[in-house]
Amino acid sequence: MADLPPSVLVANRGEIACRIIRTAQRLGIRTIAVHSDADAGALFVEMADEAHRLGPAPAAESYLRIDRILEVAEATGAACVHPGYGFLSERAEFAEACAEAGIIFVGPPAAAIRAMGLKDAAKALVARAGVPVVPGYHGAEQDPEVLRQEANSVGYPVLIKAVAGGGGKGMRRVEREAEFLDALQGARREATAAFGDPRVLVEKYVLSPRHVEMQVFADAHGHVVHLFERDCSLQRRHQKVIEEAPAPGMSPETREAMGRAAIEAARAVGYVGAGTVEFIADGRDGLRPDRFWFMEMNTRLQVEHPVTEAITGLDLVELQFRVAAGGRLPFLQEDVRADGHAVEARLYAEDPAAGFLPSTGRLWALDLAEGNGVRIDSGVRAGDDVSPYYDPMIAKVIVHAGDRGAALDRLSQALSETVVAGPRTNVALLRRLADAEAFRRADFDTGFIERNLEQLGVAAAPLDASMVAAGAVHLVRRAQARLAAATSLRQGARPGPWRVTDGFQLVGASSRGLLVTADGETLELRVEFDAKGPRVAGASEDCTLVEAEEEVLVLRDGRQIRVALHDPFDVDLERLDQEGAVKAPMHGRVVAVFVEPGDLVEKGQRLAVVEAMKMEHTLVAPAPGEVIEVAVEVGAQVAEGARVVALKGVSDE
Ligand code: ADP
């Protein structure tokens, strides 16, 4: 077998597809992307050497279609298929189907996936290999009464887990016996809905739990190593939010014991490729060699693999390709070194203040602080849509520095420079986490986020008036600029004295009330006009303003407010004052007047024509309004800037 496969079909999307393609291209491997209709214009499709459609947006009709993916693989002559994470990555049938089609599956043998696929069987298997597992009941019996008895003998609190579980679904913590049966019912319902399998197991709920996992790597020649641990204890609803390597408080003895256990678990299933063995540790007195227990093994590349890459200097995707092509791991355990500290934060399009609901839509701006020890893994660009069909992750921000404190400083800095406009994000939460004092002291466990939601700023905050004001000023300025552009366009936009950009001006300094909509709330602001333009008292000077069609997105400190003019006709200036004047663009003679006081005019309607230098210039209404004055007569000479017609906004107060 050659050293590397000549081509790869990437059976995934988004950031992980981009991540795989990047390494493949560096290694000279031809890349083949497959995509759904929703992703036809996605970054990974653009990056790949070729791309093929799978089907409509829903994953079941595209990214989960084994038959379609293999059709493309065969038609394109793909040497291997990389499944990424999620989707088909842990489906033994997919690995088998690839093998049958004579295409290398970049992952472990189907049997290893299957052996680790069900939590109860996996536990029994690794326990036989001498790996510590969480005390509990992992048996076949599913009778509620029996399970309750088992829970009683394990001792409360206990955790009910779906046997087929994943992503924290079908999991319930139970504090006391009286709550057990209700919780069991809930876990079963969820497990049935998510996995079509109601079976559960019961285990001891570990107090002060820390999630510490070991990256393992095995080749097909019986060689298994670990690449150190990652701490993924900052979670919300059992989903990882921030991960780091090494784990704070990890002693060499614990690392040694955990590494050995992970390698044993991998060996027990004949593992090949990249895998992660997840442990739960009791972190009450630091991480101790006798206080961690196997939870499960993920038989694929993990979302948080970049922190391991950062500290080891290895490219795990490259190793996956080499091992999949039959190569040997190019190092021994003792050659693997860790350098410094790495942290990854998952930047999500979600609204923490609204129960972390995904927040989809157009990314009007996306500026991620890359470089200087900051790596960005992302699958989207400014202008892309965050689709409701898939995981709403925008990017992974990965930092590497000499020690943990410096890495967290770097993360905080990178997050403060991050600009995402459009969907709401968790960027402010991530930054507060990076700065949280207790987390900095490594005094944390998997309940940290949930316990500190308020201090972490996860609450619906009242509208910030200074941000709304800044948005309003921007919208008024924009309206003025558009109006000026429209005016000069009508007049031929000729350079020199003929170019008049303020054919419709406010008379002197003035102020008026302006209705704006801010995050759906209607507010009235006072706008002052003078020679310097519009002003609103208290407007923030240090926010970022991003145009989003009729709205402006006002960003500061990870917060975003959408500001729009309440009435779209407010974009025209005459409603910014009680009265507006249409002025002569140049010295000339009035050759026609089309309106009289009292007339109601439409936007763009002709008002008068002024002739100068043998050219006619038509003055039009910049907005709908009522003519309140006609200051000239046909045949009269007018000076540049002289008032020709005065209008009043139709719906003015
Ligand atoms: P899933 O496969 O659904 O992600 P896991 O078994 O990996 O479920 O557990 C997910 C998370 O739940 C862990 O990272 C940990 O935070 C928590 N957890 C799991 N088992 C226990 C336990 N016995 N005690 C305390 N917390 C646990």
Side-chain angles (χ1 to χ4, degrees), residues 119 134 159 161 165-169 171 203-206 209 211 235 238 278 280 295-296 446:
K119 287 185 202 281
V134 190
L159 194 62
K161 279 189 189 179
K169 293 196 191 85
M171 232 154 81
E203 54 182 48
K204 177 91 191 148
Y205 187 87
V206 175
H211 175 119
Q235 306 183 338
H238 308 299
E278 296 190 334
I280 188 94
M295 277 194 298
E296 65 170 347
T446 58

mmCIF file of all heavy atoms in Angstrom, residues 119 134 159 161 165-169 171 203-206 209 211 235 238 278 280 295-296 446, ligand 1:
data_model
loop_
_atom_site.group_PDB
_atom_site.id
_atom_site.type_symbol
_atom_site.label_atom_id
_atom_site.label_comp_id
_atom_site.label_asym_id
_atom_site.label_seq_id
_atom_site.Cartn_x
_atom_site.Cartn_y
_atom_site.Cartn_z
ATOM 1 N N LYS A 119 -23.193 1.856 24.925
ATOM 2 C CA LYS A 119 -22.439 2.169 26.137
ATOM 3 C C LYS A 119 -22.333 0.985 27.090
ATOM 4 O O LYS A 119 -21.297 0.796 27.739
ATOM 5 C CB LYS A 119 -23.096 3.343 26.868
ATOM 6 C CG LYS A 119 -22.901 4.687 26.189
ATOM 7 C CD LYS A 119 -23.481 5.788 27.068
ATOM 8 C CE LYS A 119 -23.824 7.036 26.295
ATOM 9 N NZ LYS A 119 -22.721 7.902 25.966
ATOM 10 N N VAL A 134 -17.334 3.420 35.586
ATOM 11 C CA VAL A 134 -18.136 4.022 36.652
ATOM 12 C C VAL A 134 -19.006 2.933 37.272
ATOM 13 O O VAL A 134 -19.663 2.183 36.546
ATOM 14 C CB VAL A 134 -19.049 5.136 36.089
ATOM 15 C CG1 VAL A 134 -19.700 5.918 37.221
ATOM 16 C CG2 VAL A 134 -18.265 6.072 35.187
ATOM 17 N N LEU A 159 -26.955 8.597 37.641
ATOM 18 C CA LEU A 159 -27.190 9.132 36.311
ATOM 19 C C LEU A 159 -27.793 8.009 35.470
ATOM 20 O O LEU A 159 -27.234 6.914 35.404
ATOM 21 C CB LEU A 159 -25.868 9.597 35.716
ATOM 22 C CG LEU A 159 -25.933 10.474 34.473
ATOM 23 C CD1 LEU A 159 -26.664 11.782 34.758
ATOM 24 C CD2 LEU A 159 -24.527 10.784 33.968
ATOM 25 N N LYS A 161 -28.554 6.802 31.801
ATOM 26 C CA LYS A 161 -28.029 7.119 30.463
ATOM 27 C C LYS A 161 -28.617 6.177 29.428
ATOM 28 O O LYS A 161 -28.762 4.993 29.692
ATOM 29 C CB LYS A 161 -26.514 6.884 30.417
ATOM 30 C CG LYS A 161 -25.658 7.957 30.976
ATOM 31 C CD LYS A 161 -24.208 7.632 30.618
ATOM 32 C CE LYS A 161 -23.267 8.548 31.344
ATOM 33 N NZ LYS A 161 -21.865 8.246 31.041
ATOM 34 N N GLY A 165 -26.816 6.130 23.672
ATOM 35 C CA GLY A 165 -26.715 7.589 23.805
ATOM 36 C C GLY A 165 -25.595 8.276 23.057
ATOM 37 O O GLY A 165 -24.650 7.657 22.581
ATOM 38 N N GLY A 166 -25.736 9.564 22.998
ATOM 39 C CA GLY A 166 -24.766 10.451 22.354
ATOM 40 C C GLY A 166 -25.304 11.857 22.473
ATOM 41 O O GLY A 166 -26.521 12.044 22.548
ATOM 42 N N GLY A 167 -24.396 12.813 22.527
ATOM 43 C CA GLY A 167 -24.815 14.213 22.567
ATOM 44 C C GLY A 167 -25.616 14.570 23.805
ATOM 45 O O GLY A 167 -26.373 15.531 23.805
ATOM 46 N N GLY A 168 -25.424 13.796 24.874
ATOM 47 C CA GLY A 168 -26.105 14.123 26.125
ATOM 48 C C GLY A 168 -27.592 13.802 26.124
ATOM 49 O O GLY A 168 -28.301 14.126 27.075
ATOM 50 N N LYS A 169 -28.078 13.154 25.074
ATOM 51 C CA LYS A 169 -29.518 12.868 25.010
ATOM 52 C C LYS A 169 -29.858 11.605 25.793
ATOM 53 O O LYS A 169 -29.075 10.667 25.852
ATOM 54 C CB LYS A 169 -29.969 12.710 23.562
ATOM 55 C CG LYS A 169 -29.863 13.995 22.796
ATOM 56 C CD LYS A 169 -30.656 13.929 21.500
ATOM 57 C CE LYS A 169 -30.307 15.110 20.627
ATOM 58 N NZ LYS A 169 -29.100 14.857 19.825
ATOM 59 N N MET A 171 -30.304 11.434 28.974
ATOM 60 C CA MET A 171 -29.549 11.396 30.222
ATOM 61 C C MET A 171 -30.323 12.120 31.307
ATOM 62 O O MET A 171 -30.867 13.190 31.067
ATOM 63 C CB MET A 171 -28.192 12.073 30.000
ATOM 64 C CG MET A 171 -27.058 11.229 30.444
ATOM 65 S SD MET A 171 -25.562 11.592 29.578
ATOM 66 C CE MET A 171 -25.021 12.957 30.419
ATOM 67 N N GLU A 203 -25.715 4.689 36.376
ATOM 68 C CA GLU A 203 -24.402 4.719 37.016
ATOM 69 C C GLU A 203 -24.330 5.747 38.114
ATOM 70 O O GLU A 203 -25.159 6.637 38.226
ATOM 71 C CB GLU A 203 -23.268 4.866 35.985
ATOM 72 C CG GLU A 203 -23.386 6.006 35.056
ATOM 73 C CD GLU A 203 -22.253 6.064 34.020
ATOM 74 O OE1 GLU A 203 -21.924 5.057 33.377
ATOM 75 O OE2 GLU A 203 -21.709 7.167 33.865
ATOM 76 N N LYS A 204 -23.337 5.586 38.925
ATOM 77 C CA LYS A 204 -23.080 6.513 40.015
ATOM 78 C C LYS A 204 -22.829 7.885 39.409
ATOM 79 O O LYS A 204 -22.070 7.999 38.440
ATOM 80 C CB LYS A 204 -21.822 6.029 40.744
ATOM 81 C CG LYS A 204 -21.370 6.923 41.863
ATOM 82 C CD LYS A 204 -21.994 6.481 43.172
ATOM 83 C CE LYS A 204 -21.783 7.513 44.266
ATOM 84 N NZ LYS A 204 -22.915 7.514 45.212
ATOM 85 N N TYR A 205 -23.477 8.909 39.967
ATOM 86 C CA TYR A 205 -23.175 10.257 39.502
ATOM 87 C C TYR A 205 -21.923 10.713 40.232
ATOM 88 O O TYR A 205 -21.899 10.815 41.454
ATOM 89 C CB TYR A 205 -24.340 11.230 39.760
ATOM 90 C CG TYR A 205 -24.068 12.564 39.116
ATOM 91 C CD1 TYR A 205 -24.409 12.788 37.795
ATOM 92 C CD2 TYR A 205 -23.414 13.573 39.808
ATOM 93 C CE1 TYR A 205 -24.100 13.989 37.170
ATOM 94 C CE2 TYR A 205 -23.097 14.773 39.199
ATOM 95 C CZ TYR A 205 -23.448 14.974 37.881
ATOM 96 O OH TYR A 205 -23.138 16.157 37.271
ATOM 97 N N VAL A 206 -20.898 10.977 39.464
ATOM 98 C CA VAL A 206 -19.620 11.370 40.046
ATOM 99 C C VAL A 206 -19.709 12.827 40.493
ATOM 100 O O VAL A 206 -20.166 13.685 39.735
ATOM 101 C CB VAL A 206 -18.488 11.188 39.010
ATOM 102 C CG1 VAL A 206 -17.169 11.705 39.550
ATOM 103 C CG2 VAL A 206 -18.379 9.724 38.614
ATOM 104 N N PRO A 209 -17.562 16.431 38.908
ATOM 105 C CA PRO A 209 -17.071 15.666 37.755
ATOM 106 C C PRO A 209 -16.236 16.502 36.797
ATOM 107 O O PRO A 209 -16.600 17.622 36.449
ATOM 108 C CB PRO A 209 -18.349 15.184 37.073
ATOM 109 C CG PRO A 209 -19.413 16.137 37.498
ATOM 110 C CD PRO A 209 -19.021 16.667 38.844
ATOM 111 N N HIS A 211 -14.501 16.143 32.973
ATOM 112 C CA HIS A 211 -14.449 15.322 31.762
ATOM 113 C C HIS A 211 -13.019 15.396 31.224
ATOM 114 O O HIS A 211 -12.583 16.442 30.768
ATOM 115 C CB HIS A 211 -15.446 15.853 30.737
ATOM 116 C CG HIS A 211 -15.381 15.158 29.410
ATOM 117 N ND1 HIS A 211 -16.451 14.472 28.867
ATOM 118 C CD2 HIS A 211 -14.374 15.042 28.519
ATOM 119 C CE1 HIS A 211 -16.087 13.969 27.696
ATOM 120 N NE2 HIS A 211 -14.832 14.307 27.461
ATOM 121 N N GLN A 235 -18.902 22.566 30.045
ATOM 122 C CA GLN A 235 -19.969 22.039 29.203
ATOM 123 C C GLN A 235 -21.272 22.745 29.552
ATOM 124 O O GLN A 235 -21.408 23.316 30.609
ATOM 125 C CB GLN A 235 -20.186 20.545 29.483
ATOM 126 C CG GLN A 235 -18.942 19.696 29.362
ATOM 127 C CD GLN A 235 -19.244 18.212 29.571
ATOM 128 O OE1 GLN A 235 -20.255 17.852 30.180
ATOM 129 N NE2 GLN A 235 -18.361 17.364 29.080
ATOM 130 N N HIS A 238 -24.254 18.920 28.953
ATOM 131 C CA HIS A 238 -23.399 17.805 28.519
ATOM 132 C C HIS A 238 -22.789 18.017 27.149
ATOM 133 O O HIS A 238 -22.303 17.081 26.525
ATOM 134 C CB HIS A 238 -24.157 16.473 28.572
ATOM 135 C CG HIS A 238 -24.809 16.229 29.892
ATOM 136 N ND1 HIS A 238 -24.095 16.135 31.057
ATOM 137 C CD2 HIS A 238 -26.109 16.105 30.239
ATOM 138 C CE1 HIS A 238 -24.924 15.953 32.064
ATOM 139 N NE2 HIS A 238 -26.158 15.943 31.594
ATOM 140 N N GLU A 278 -13.069 8.578 26.573
ATOM 141 C CA GLU A 278 -13.552 9.600 27.508
ATOM 142 C C GLU A 278 -13.670 9.028 28.914
ATOM 143 O O GLU A 278 -14.242 7.952 29.113
ATOM 144 C CB GLU A 278 -14.917 10.118 27.056
ATOM 145 C CG GLU A 278 -14.863 10.832 25.713
ATOM 146 C CD GLU A 278 -16.164 11.553 25.364
ATOM 147 O OE1 GLU A 278 -17.245 11.137 25.851
ATOM 148 O OE2 GLU A 278 -16.105 12.525 24.599
ATOM 149 N N ILE A 280 -14.626 10.037 33.103
ATOM 150 C CA ILE A 280 -15.160 11.003 34.047
ATOM 151 C C ILE A 280 -14.268 10.881 35.281
ATOM 152 O O ILE A 280 -13.933 9.777 35.698
ATOM 153 C CB ILE A 280 -16.654 10.715 34.341
ATOM 154 C CG1 ILE A 280 -17.274 11.833 35.159
ATOM 155 C CG2 ILE A 280 -16.863 9.382 35.015
ATOM 156 C CD1 ILE A 280 -17.939 12.859 34.322
ATOM 157 N N MET A 295 -16.011 6.323 30.389
ATOM 158 C CA MET A 295 -17.410 6.611 30.029
ATOM 159 C C MET A 295 -17.744 6.016 28.675
ATOM 160 O O MET A 295 -18.708 5.310 28.516
ATOM 161 C CB MET A 295 -17.652 8.115 29.960
ATOM 162 C CG MET A 295 -17.935 8.751 31.285
ATOM 163 S SD MET A 295 -18.594 10.418 31.079
ATOM 164 C CE MET A 295 -17.261 11.249 30.247
ATOM 165 N N GLU A 296 -16.944 6.354 27.672
ATOM 166 C CA GLU A 296 -17.196 5.817 26.342
ATOM 167 C C GLU A 296 -15.991 6.083 25.463
ATOM 168 O O GLU A 296 -15.097 6.844 25.822
ATOM 169 C CB GLU A 296 -18.444 6.461 25.719
ATOM 170 C CG GLU A 296 -18.308 7.945 25.459
ATOM 171 C CD GLU A 296 -19.464 8.494 24.636
ATOM 172 O OE1 GLU A 296 -20.229 7.702 24.066
ATOM 173 O OE2 GLU A 296 -19.580 9.725 24.552
ATOM 174 N N THR A 446 -17.976 20.002 35.543
ATOM 175 C CA THR A 446 -18.893 20.050 34.396
ATOM 176 C C THR A 446 -20.147 20.887 34.673
ATOM 177 O O THR A 446 -20.888 21.199 33.753
ATOM 178 C CB THR A 446 -19.330 18.640 33.969
ATOM 179 O OG1 THR A 446 -19.957 18.015 35.100
ATOM 180 C CG2 THR A 446 -18.154 17.800 33.518
HETATM 181 P P1 ADP B 1 -23.008 11.332 25.504
HETATM 182 O O1 ADP B 1 -22.522 10.138 24.745
HETATM 183 O O2 ADP B 1 -24.498 11.487 25.427
HETATM 184 O O3 ADP B 1 -22.263 12.593 25.199
HETATM 185 P P2 ADP B 1 -21.403 10.747 27.836
HETATM 186 O O4 ADP B 1 -21.475 9.426 28.455
HETATM 187 O O5 ADP B 1 -20.231 11.034 26.965
HETATM 188 O O6 ADP B 1 -22.759 11.005 27.049
HETATM 189 O O7 ADP B 1 -21.501 11.856 28.938
HETATM 190 C C1 ADP B 1 -21.620 13.220 28.601
HETATM 191 C C2 ADP B 1 -21.278 14.100 29.791
HETATM 192 O O8 ADP B 1 -22.122 13.787 30.905
HETATM 193 C C3 ADP B 1 -19.892 13.939 30.319
HETATM 194 O O9 ADP B 1 -18.970 14.726 29.631
HETATM 195 C C4 ADP B 1 -20.044 14.361 31.755
HETATM 196 O O10 ADP B 1 -20.053 15.759 31.846
HETATM 197 C C5 ADP B 1 -21.428 13.888 32.125
HETATM 198 N N1 ADP B 1 -21.393 12.574 32.786
HETATM 199 C C6 ADP B 1 -21.424 11.369 32.179
HETATM 200 N N2 ADP B 1 -21.373 10.375 33.081
HETATM 201 C C7 ADP B 1 -21.321 10.949 34.296
HETATM 202 C C8 ADP B 1 -21.267 10.462 35.639
HETATM 203 N N3 ADP B 1 -21.286 9.168 35.916
HETATM 204 N N4 ADP B 1 -21.205 11.346 36.644
HETATM 205 C C9 ADP B 1 -21.207 12.674 36.395
HETATM 206 N N5 ADP B 1 -21.275 13.192 35.162
HETATM 207 C C10 ADP B 1 -21.329 12.358 34.113
#
